Coordinates of all heavy atoms in Angstrom, one line a residue:
M948 N -28.1 -1.9 6.8 CA -27.4 -1.1 7.7 C -28.3 -0.3 8.7 O -29.3 0.2 8.2 CB -26.6 -0.1 6.8 CG -25.5 0.7 7.6 SD -24.8 2.0 6.6 CE -23.8 1.0 5.4
N949 N -28.0 -0.3 9.9 CA -28.9 0.4 10.9 C -28.5 1.9 10.9 O -27.6 2.3 10.3 CB -28.8 -0.3 12.3 CG -27.4 -0.1 12.9 OD1 -26.8 0.9 12.8 ND2 -27.0 -1.1 13.6
R950 N -29.4 2.6 11.5 CA -29.3 4.1 11.5 C -28.0 4.6 12.2 O -27.4 5.5 11.7 CB -30.6 4.6 12.2 CG -30.9 6.1 11.8 CD -32.1 6.6 12.5 NE -33.3 6.0 11.9 CZ -34.5 6.1 12.5 NH1 -34.6 6.8 13.6 NH2 -35.6 5.6 12.0
K951 N -27.6 3.9 13.2 CA -26.5 4.4 14.0 C -25.2 4.3 13.1 O -24.4 5.2 13.1 CB -26.3 3.5 15.2 CG -25.5 4.2 16.3 CD -25.5 3.3 17.6 CE -24.6 3.9 18.6 NZ -24.5 2.9 19.7
S952 N -25.0 3.2 12.5 CA -23.7 3.0 11.7 C -23.7 3.9 10.5 O -22.7 4.3 10.0 CB -23.5 1.5 11.3 OG -24.5 1.1 10.5
R953 N -24.9 4.2 9.9 CA -25.0 5.0 8.8 C -24.6 6.5 9.2 O -23.9 7.1 8.5 CB -26.4 5.1 8.2 CG -26.5 5.7 6.8 CD -27.9 5.7 6.3 NE -28.3 4.3 6.0 CZ -29.6 4.0 5.6 NH1 -30.5 5.0 5.5 NH2 -29.9 2.8 5.3
R954 N -25.0 6.9 10.4 CA -24.6 8.2 10.8 C -23.1 8.3 11.1 O -22.4 9.2 10.7 CB -25.3 8.5 12.1 CG -25.3 10.0 12.4 CD -26.1 10.3 13.7 NE -27.5 10.0 13.7 CZ -28.2 9.8 14.8 NH1 -27.7 9.9 16.0 NH2 -29.5 9.5 14.7
A955 N -22.5 7.3 11.6 CA -21.1 7.2 11.9 C -20.3 7.3 10.5 O -19.3 8.0 10.5 CB -20.7 5.9 12.6
L956 N -20.8 6.7 9.5 CA -20.1 6.7 8.2 C -20.2 8.1 7.6 O -19.2 8.6 7.1 CB -20.8 5.7 7.2 CG -20.2 4.4 7.0 CD1 -21.0 3.6 6.0 CD2 -18.8 4.5 6.5
A957 N -21.3 8.8 7.7 CA -21.5 10.1 7.2 C -20.6 11.1 7.9 O -20.1 12.0 7.3 CB -22.9 10.5 7.3
K958 N -20.3 10.8 9.2 CA -19.5 11.7 10.0 C -18.1 11.7 9.7 O -17.4 12.7 9.7 CB -19.8 11.4 11.5 CG -19.6 12.6 12.4 CD -19.9 12.1 13.8 CE -19.4 13.1 14.8 NZ -19.4 12.6 16.1
A959 N -17.5 10.5 9.4 CA -16.1 10.4 9.1 C -15.7 11.1 7.8 O -16.3 10.9 6.8 CB -15.7 8.9 9.1
S960 N -14.7 11.9 7.9 CA -14.3 12.7 6.7 C -13.5 11.7 5.9 O -12.9 10.7 6.4 CB -13.4 13.9 7.1 OG -12.2 13.4 7.6
P961 N -13.3 12.0 4.6 CA -12.5 11.1 3.7 C -11.1 10.9 4.2 O -10.6 9.8 4.2 CB -12.5 11.8 2.4 CG -13.8 12.7 2.4 CD -14.0 13.1 3.8
A962 N -10.5 12.0 4.7 CA -9.1 11.9 5.2 C -9.1 11.0 6.4 O -8.1 10.2 6.5 CB -8.7 13.3 5.6
E963 N -10.0 11.0 7.3 CA -10.0 10.1 8.4 C -10.2 8.7 8.0 O -9.5 7.8 8.5 CB -11.2 10.5 9.4 CG -10.8 11.6 10.3 CD -12.1 12.1 11.1 OE1 -13.2 11.7 10.8 OE2 -11.8 12.9 12.1
K964 N -11.0 8.5 7.0 CA -11.2 7.1 6.5 C -10.0 6.6 5.9 O -9.6 5.5 6.1 CB -12.4 7.1 5.5 CG -13.7 6.7 6.0 CD -14.7 6.5 4.9 CE -16.0 7.3 5.2 NZ -16.8 7.5 4.0
Q965 N -9.3 7.5 5.1 CA -8.1 7.1 4.5 C -7.0 6.7 5.5 O -6.3 5.7 5.3 CB -7.6 8.2 3.6 CG -6.7 7.7 2.5 CD -6.2 8.9 1.6 OE1 -6.4 10.0 1.9 NE2 -5.6 8.5 0.5
M966 N -6.9 7.5 6.5 CA -6.0 7.2 7.6 C -6.2 5.9 8.2 O -5.3 5.1 8.4 CB -6.1 8.4 8.7 CG -5.1 8.2 9.8 SD -3.6 9.1 9.3 CE -3.9 10.7 10.0
A967 N -7.5 5.6 8.5 CA -7.8 4.3 9.1 C -7.5 3.2 8.2 O -6.9 2.2 8.6 CB -9.3 4.3 9.4
D968 N -7.7 3.4 6.9 CA -7.3 2.4 5.9 C -5.8 2.1 5.9 O -5.4 1.0 5.9 CB -7.7 2.9 4.5 CG -9.2 2.7 4.2 OD1 -9.9 2.1 5.1 OD2 -9.6 3.2 3.2
Q969 N -5.1 3.2 6.0 CA -3.6 3.0 6.0 C -3.1 2.3 7.2 O -2.2 1.5 7.1 CB -2.9 4.4 5.8 CG -3.1 4.8 4.3 CD -2.3 6.1 4.0 OE1 -1.9 6.8 4.9 NE2 -2.2 6.4 2.8
V970 N -3.7 2.6 8.3 CA -3.2 2.0 9.6 C -3.6 0.5 9.5 O -2.7 -0.4 9.8 CB -3.9 2.6 10.8 CG1 -3.7 1.8 12.0 CG2 -3.4 4.0 11.0
A971 N -4.7 0.2 9.0 CA -5.2 -1.2 8.8 C -4.2 -1.9 7.8 O -3.8 -3.0 8.1 CB -6.6 -1.3 8.3
L972 N -3.9 -1.2 6.7 CA -3.0 -1.8 5.7 C -1.6 -2.0 6.3 O -0.9 -3.0 6.0 CB -2.9 -0.9 4.5 CG -4.2 -0.9 3.7 CD1 -4.1 0.1 2.6 CD2 -4.4 -2.3 3.1
F973 N -1.2 -1.1 7.1 CA 0.2 -1.2 7.7 C 0.4 -2.5 8.4 O 1.4 -3.1 8.3 CB 0.4 0.0 8.6 CG 1.9 0.4 8.7 CD1 2.5 0.9 7.6 CD2 2.6 0.1 9.9 CE1 3.9 1.2 7.7 CE2 3.9 0.4 9.9 CZ 4.6 1.0 8.9
G974 N -0.7 -2.9 9.1 CA -0.6 -4.2 9.8 C -0.6 -5.4 8.9 O -0.2 -6.5 9.3
K975 N -1.0 -5.1 7.7 CA -1.1 -6.2 6.7 C 0.1 -6.2 5.7 O 0.2 -6.9 4.8 CB -2.4 -6.1 5.8 CG -3.6 -6.7 6.5 CD -4.7 -6.9 5.5 CE -5.7 -5.8 5.5 NZ -6.7 -6.0 4.5
L976 N 1.1 -5.2 6.0 CA 2.2 -5.1 5.1 C 3.0 -6.5 5.0 O 3.3 -7.1 6.0 CB 3.2 -4.1 5.6 CG 3.1 -2.7 5.0 CD1 4.2 -1.8 5.6 CD2 3.1 -2.7 3.5
P977 N 3.3 -6.9 3.8 CA 4.1 -8.1 3.6 C 5.5 -7.9 4.2 O 5.9 -6.8 4.4 CB 4.2 -8.2 2.1 CG 3.1 -7.4 1.5 CD 2.9 -6.3 2.5
E978 N 6.1 -9.0 4.5 CA 7.5 -8.8 5.1 C 8.6 -8.9 4.1 O 9.7 -8.8 4.4 CB 7.6 -10.0 6.1 CG 6.9 -9.6 7.4 CD 6.9 -10.8 8.4 OE1 7.5 -11.8 8.1 OE2 6.2 -10.6 9.4
S979 N 8.2 -9.0 2.8 CA 9.2 -9.1 1.8 C 8.6 -8.5 0.5 O 7.4 -8.4 0.3 CB 9.7 -10.5 1.6 OG 8.6 -11.3 1.3
C980 N 9.5 -8.3 -0.5 CA 9.1 -7.8 -1.8 C 8.2 -8.8 -2.5 O 8.5 -10.0 -2.5 CB 10.3 -7.5 -2.6 SG 9.9 -7.0 -4.3
T981 N 7.1 -8.3 -3.0 CA 6.1 -9.2 -3.7 C 6.8 -9.9 -4.9 O 6.5 -11.1 -5.2 CB 4.9 -8.4 -4.2 OG1 4.3 -7.8 -3.1 CG2 3.9 -9.3 -4.8
L982 N 7.7 -9.3 -5.5 CA 8.3 -9.8 -6.8 C 9.6 -10.7 -6.5 O 9.7 -11.8 -7.0 CB 8.6 -8.7 -7.8 CG 7.4 -8.0 -8.3 CD1 7.8 -6.9 -9.3 CD2 6.5 -9.0 -9.1
C983 N 10.5 -10.1 -5.7 CA 11.8 -10.8 -5.6 C 12.1 -11.4 -4.2 O 13.1 -12.0 -3.9 CB 12.9 -9.9 -6.0 SG 13.3 -8.6 -4.8
S984 N 11.1 -11.2 -3.3 CA 11.2 -11.7 -1.9 C 12.3 -11.1 -1.1 O 12.7 -11.7 0.0 CB 11.4 -13.3 -1.9 OG 10.3 -13.8 -2.6
E985 N 12.8 -10.0 -1.5 CA 13.8 -9.2 -0.7 C 13.1 -8.9 0.6 O 12.0 -8.4 0.6 CB 14.2 -8.0 -1.5 CG 15.0 -7.0 -0.7 CD 16.5 -7.1 -0.9 OE1 16.9 -7.7 -1.9 OE2 17.2 -6.6 -0.1
A986 N 13.8 -9.1 1.7 CA 13.2 -8.9 3.1 C 13.0 -7.4 3.3 O 13.8 -6.5 2.9 CB 14.1 -9.4 4.1
F987 N 11.8 -7.1 3.9 CA 11.4 -5.7 4.2 C 11.4 -5.5 5.7 O 10.7 -6.3 6.4 CB 10.1 -5.4 3.5 CG 9.6 -4.0 3.8 CD1 10.2 -2.9 3.3 CD2 8.5 -3.8 4.7 CE1 9.7 -1.6 3.6 CE2 8.0 -2.5 4.9 CZ 8.6 -1.4 4.4
D988 N 12.0 -4.4 6.1 CA 12.0 -4.1 7.6 C 11.2 -2.8 7.7 O 11.6 -1.8 7.4 CB 13.4 -4.0 8.1 CG 13.4 -3.7 9.6 OD1 12.3 -3.6 10.2 OD2 14.5 -3.5 10.1
K989 N 10.0 -3.0 8.3 CA 9.1 -1.7 8.4 C 9.6 -0.8 9.5 O 9.0 0.3 9.6 CB 7.6 -2.1 8.5 CG 7.3 -3.0 9.6 CD 5.8 -3.3 9.5 CE 5.4 -4.6 10.3 NZ 4.2 -5.1 9.9
K990 N 10.6 -1.1 10.2 CA 11.1 -0.2 11.2 C 12.3 0.6 10.6 O 12.7 1.6 11.2 CB 11.7 -1.0 12.4 CG 10.6 -1.5 13.3 CD 11.1 -2.5 14.3 CE 10.1 -3.4 14.8 NZ 10.6 -4.8 15.0
D991 N 12.7 0.3 9.4 CA 13.7 1.0 8.7 C 13.2 2.1 7.9 O 12.4 1.9 6.9 CB 14.5 0.0 7.8 CG 15.7 0.6 7.2 OD1 15.7 1.8 6.8 OD2 16.7 -0.1 7.0
R992 N 13.5 3.4 8.3 CA 12.9 4.6 7.6 C 13.3 4.7 6.2 O 12.5 5.1 5.3 CB 13.3 5.8 8.4 CG 12.6 6.0 9.6 CD 12.8 7.4 10.1 NE 12.1 7.7 11.4 CZ 11.9 8.9 11.9 NH1 12.5 9.9 11.3 NH2 11.3 9.0 13.0
D993 N 14.5 4.3 5.8 CA 14.9 4.4 4.5 C 14.1 3.5 3.6 O 13.7 3.8 2.5 CB 16.4 4.0 4.3 CG 17.3 5.1 4.9 OD1 16.8 6.3 5.0 OD2 18.5 4.8 5.2
M994 N 13.9 2.3 4.1 CA 13.1 1.3 3.4 C 11.6 1.8 3.2 O 11.0 1.7 2.2 CB 13.0 0.0 4.1 CG 14.3 -0.9 3.9 SD 14.1 -2.5 4.6 CE 15.2 -3.4 3.7
L995 N 11.1 2.4 4.3 CA 9.7 2.9 4.3 C 9.6 3.9 3.2 O 8.5 4.0 2.5 CB 9.3 3.4 5.6 CG 8.9 2.4 6.7 CD1 8.7 3.1 8.0 CD2 7.6 1.7 6.3
S996 N 10.6 4.7 3.0 CA 10.4 5.8 2.1 C 10.8 5.4 0.6 O 10.3 6.0 -0.3 CB 11.2 7.1 2.5 OG 12.6 6.7 2.6
S997 N 11.5 4.3 0.5 CA 11.9 4.0 -0.9 C 11.1 2.8 -1.5 O 11.1 2.6 -2.7 CB 13.4 3.6 -0.9 OG 13.7 2.6 0.0
W998 N 10.5 2.0 -0.6 CA 9.7 0.9 -1.1 C 8.3 1.4 -1.4 O 7.9 2.4 -0.9 CB 9.6 -0.2 -0.1 CG 10.9 -1.0 0.1 CD1 12.2 -0.5 0.2 CD2 11.0 -2.4 0.1 NE1 13.1 -1.5 0.3 CE2 12.4 -2.7 0.2 CE3 10.1 -3.5 0.0 CZ2 12.9 -4.0 0.3 CZ3 10.6 -4.8 0.1 CH2 12.0 -5.0 0.2
K999 N 7.7 0.7 -2.3 CA 6.4 1.1 -2.8 C 5.3 0.1 -2.4 O 5.4 -1.1 -2.6 CB 6.4 1.3 -4.3 CG 5.2 1.9 -4.9 CD 5.5 2.1 -6.4 CE 4.3 2.8 -7.1 NZ 4.6 2.9 -8.5
V1000 N 4.2 0.7 -1.8 CA 3.1 -0.2 -1.4 C 2.0 0.0 -2.4 O 1.6 1.2 -2.7 CB 2.6 0.1 0.0 CG1 1.4 -0.8 0.4 CG2 3.7 0.0 1.0
V1001 N 1.5 -1.0 -3.0 CA 0.4 -0.9 -4.0 C -0.7 -1.8 -3.5 O -0.6 -3.0 -3.2 CB 0.8 -1.4 -5.4 CG1 -0.3 -1.3 -6.4 CG2 2.0 -0.6 -5.9
V1002 N -1.9 -1.2 -3.4 CA -3.1 -1.9 -2.9 C -4.0 -2.2 -4.0 O -4.5 -1.3 -4.7 CB -3.8 -1.1 -1.8 CG1 -4.9 -2.0 -1.2 CG2 -2.8 -0.7 -0.7
I1003 N -4.2 -3.5 -4.3 CA -5.1 -3.8 -5.3 C -6.3 -4.6 -4.6 O -6.0 -5.7 -4.2 CB -4.5 -4.7 -6.4 CG1 -3.4 -3.8 -7.1 CG2 -5.5 -5.1 -7.5 CD1 -2.4 -4.6 -7.9
Q1004 N -7.4 -4.0 -4.6 CA -8.5 -4.5 -3.8 C -8.1 -4.8 -2.4 O -7.6 -3.9 -1.7 CB -9.2 -5.7 -4.5 CG -10.1 -5.2 -5.6 CD -10.2 -6.2 -6.7 OE1 -9.7 -7.4 -6.6 NE2 -10.9 -5.9 -7.8
E1005 N -8.1 -6.0 -1.9 CA -7.7 -6.3 -0.5 C -6.3 -6.7 -0.4 O -5.8 -6.9 0.7 CB -8.6 -7.4 0.0 CG -10.1 -7.0 0.2 CD -10.3 -5.9 1.3 OE1 -10.0 -6.3 2.5 OE2 -10.6 -4.8 1.0
T1006 N -5.6 -6.9 -1.6 CA -4.3 -7.4 -1.5 C -3.2 -6.3 -1.5 O -3.3 -5.3 -2.3 CB -4.0 -8.2 -2.8 OG1 -5.1 -9.1 -3.0 CG2 -2.8 -9.0 -2.7
V1007 N -2.3 -6.4 -0.5 CA -1.3 -5.4 -0.4 C 0.0 -6.0 -1.1 O 0.5 -7.1 -0.7 CB -0.9 -5.1 1.1 CG1 0.1 -4.0 1.2 CG2 -2.2 -4.7 1.8
R1008 N 0.5 -5.2 -2.0 CA 1.7 -5.6 -2.7 C 2.8 -4.7 -2.3 O 2.6 -3.5 -2.2 CB 1.6 -5.6 -4.2 CG 0.7 -6.7 -4.7 CD 0.1 -6.4 -6.1 NE -0.8 -7.4 -6.5 CZ -0.5 -8.3 -7.4 NH1 0.6 -8.3 -8.0 NH2 -1.4 -9.2 -7.8
L1009 N 4.0 -5.2 -2.1 CA 5.1 -4.4 -1.7 C 6.3 -4.6 -2.7 O 6.6 -5.7 -3.1 CB 5.5 -4.9 -0.3 CG 6.6 -4.1 0.4 CD1 6.2 -2.7 0.7 CD2 6.9 -4.8 1.7
Y1010 N 6.8 -3.5 -3.2 CA 7.9 -3.6 -4.1 C 9.2 -2.9 -3.6 O 9.1 -1.8 -3.1 CB 7.5 -2.9 -5.5 CG 6.3 -3.5 -6.1 CD1 5.0 -2.9 -6.1 CD2 6.4 -4.8 -6.7 CE1 3.9 -3.5 -6.7 CE2 5.3 -5.4 -7.3 CZ 4.1 -4.7 -7.3 OH 3.0 -5.3 -7.9
C1011 N 10.3 -3.6 -3.8 CA 11.6 -3.0 -3.4 C 12.0 -2.0 -4.5 O 11.5 -2.1 -5.6 CB 12.6 -4.1 -3.2 SG 13.1 -4.9 -4.7
P1012 N 13.0 -1.1 -4.2 CA 13.4 -0.2 -5.2 C 13.8 -0.8 -6.5 O 13.5 -0.3 -7.6 CB 14.6 0.5 -4.5 CG 14.3 0.4 -3.1 CD 13.6 -0.9 -2.9
C1013 N 14.5 -1.9 -6.5 CA 14.9 -2.6 -7.7 C 13.7 -3.0 -8.6 O 13.7 -2.8 -9.8 CB 15.7 -3.9 -7.4 SG 17.4 -3.6 -7.1
C1014 N 12.7 -3.6 -7.9 CA 11.5 -4.0 -8.6 C 10.7 -2.8 -9.1 O 10.1 -2.9 -10.2 CB 10.7 -5.0 -7.8 SG 11.6 -6.5 -7.5
I1015 N 10.7 -1.7 -8.4 CA 10.0 -0.5 -8.8 C 10.6 -0.1 -10.2 O 9.9 0.2 -11.1 CB 10.1 0.6 -7.8 CG1 9.4 0.2 -6.5 CG2 9.5 1.9 -8.4 CD1 9.7 1.2 -5.4
E1016 N 11.9 -0.1 -10.2 CA 12.7 0.3 -11.4 C 12.3 -0.6 -12.6 O 12.0 -0.1 -13.7 CB 14.2 0.2 -11.2 CG 14.9 1.4 -11.6 CD 16.3 1.4 -11.1 OE1 17.2 0.7 -11.7 OE2 16.6 2.1 -10.1
Q1017 N 12.3 -1.9 -12.3 CA 12.0 -2.9 -13.3 C 10.5 -2.7 -13.8 O 10.3 -2.8 -15.0 CB 12.2 -4.3 -12.8 CG 13.7 -4.6 -12.9 CD 14.0 -5.9 -12.3 OE1 13.2 -6.8 -12.1 NE2 15.3 -6.2 -12.0
T1018 N 9.6 -2.5 -12.9 CA 8.2 -2.4 -13.3 C 8.0 -1.1 -14.1 O 7.3 -1.1 -15.1 CB 7.2 -2.5 -12.2 OG1 7.7 -1.8 -11.1 CG2 6.9 -3.9 -11.8
E1019 N 8.7 -0.1 -13.7 CA 8.6 1.2 -14.4 C 9.1 1.0 -15.9 O 8.6 1.5 -16.8 CB 9.3 2.3 -13.7 CG 8.3 2.9 -12.7 CD 9.0 3.9 -11.8 OE1 10.2 4.2 -11.9 OE2 8.3 4.4 -10.8
E1020 N 10.2 0.3 -16.0 CA 10.8 0.0 -17.3 C 9.8 -0.7 -18.1 O 9.6 -0.4 -19.3 CB 12.1 -0.8 -17.1 CG 13.3 0.0 -17.4 CD 14.5 -0.8 -17.0 OE1 14.6 -2.0 -17.4 OE2 15.4 -0.3 -16.2
K1021 N 9.2 -1.7 -17.5 CA 8.2 -2.5 -18.2 C 7.0 -1.7 -18.7 O 6.6 -1.8 -19.9 CB 7.7 -3.6 -17.3 CG 7.3 -4.9 -18.0 CD 6.9 -5.9 -16.9 CE 5.7 -6.7 -17.4 NZ 5.0 -7.3 -16.3
V1022 N 6.6 -0.8 -17.8 CA 5.5 0.1 -18.2 C 5.9 1.0 -19.4 O 5.1 1.1 -20.3 CB 5.0 1.0 -17.0 CG1 4.0 2.0 -17.4 CG2 4.4 0.1 -15.9
E1023 N 7.1 1.5 -19.3 CA 7.6 2.3 -20.4 C 7.6 1.6 -21.7 O 7.2 2.0 -22.8 CB 9.0 2.8 -20.1 CG 9.1 3.9 -19.1 CD 8.4 5.2 -19.5 OE1 8.6 5.6 -20.7 OE2 7.7 5.8 -18.7
N1024 N 8.1 0.3 -21.7 CA 8.2 -0.5 -22.9 C 6.8 -0.8 -23.4 O 6.6 -0.8 -24.6 CB 8.9 -1.8 -22.6 CG 10.4 -1.6 -22.3 OD1 10.9 -0.6 -22.8 ND2 11.0 -2.6 -21.7
E1025 N 5.8 -1.1 -22.5 CA 4.5 -1.4 -23.0 C 3.8 -0.2 -23.6 O 3.0 -0.3 -24.5 CB 3.6 -1.9 -21.8 CG 3.9 -3.3 -21.5 CD 3.3 -3.8 -20.2 OE1 2.6 -3.0 -19.5 OE2 3.5 -4.9 -19.8
R1026 N 4.2 1.0 -23.1 CA 3.6 2.2 -23.6 C 4.1 2.5 -25.1 O 3.4 3.0 -25.9 CB 4.0 3.4 -22.7 CG 2.9 4.4 -22.6 CD 3.3 5.5 -21.6 NE 3.2 5.2 -20.2 CZ 3.8 5.7 -19.2 NH1 4.7 6.6 -19.4 NH2 3.6 5.4 -18.0
S1027 N 5.4 2.2 -25.3 CA 5.9 2.6 -26.6 C 5.6 1.6 -27.7 O 5.2 0.5 -27.5 CB 7.4 2.8 -26.6 OG 8.0 1.6 -26.1
Ligands
ZN1061 ZN1 11.9 -6.8 -5.3

């Protein structure tokens, strides 16, 4: 890494970095639910607030409300 890019990295606050990450991820959002393939419209505010985006390493996974419920149930079952 050269001196210039190292300085730029140190300067960026964690919040700024996170914001940049989210913008980058937004462009990578899948167009449908990862589990059931239900279509996702990122212009729909209700969908944006009710769907869940999970980032695992470089992979963006998108879950519709139904699948969120199901995965939460599954987690509950695994826990007990
Ligand atoms: Zn789904």
Side-chain angles (χ1 to χ4, degrees):
M948 194 188 284
N949 66 39
R950 204 178 286 167
K951 203 177 174 187
S952 62
R953 194 178 292 174
R954 198 182 297 160
L956 260 183
K958 208 179 161 191
S960 73
E963 277 171 347
K964 262 189 230 162
Q965 202 178 12
M966 183 87 90
D968 281 353
Q969 284 186 345
V970 170
L972 288 172
F973 206 71
K975 277 198 260 180
L976 265 184
E978 283 170 4
S979 59
C980 173
T981 303
L982 293 177
C983 73
S984 300
E985 169 94 19
F987 177 71
D988 181 0
K989 55 186 159 195
K990 287 171 203 142
D991 188 320
R992 281 192 180 192
D993 288 342
M994 278 186 158
L995 278 173
S996 58
S997 57
W998 287 47
K999 189 173 179 183
V1000 179
V1001 180
V1002 184
I1003 299 162
Q1004 282 153 5
E1005 293 291 294
T1006 314
V1007 185
R1008 289 158 186 257
L1009 186 64
Y1010 299 109
C1011 71
C1013 274
C1014 291
I1015 295 168
E1016 227 167 81
Q1017 282 176 15
T1018 40
E1019 274 172 2
E1020 253 169 51
K1021 209 176 143 202
V1022 171
E1023 285 297 315
N1024 289 338
E1025 278 167 5
R1026 213 180 278 158
S1027 57

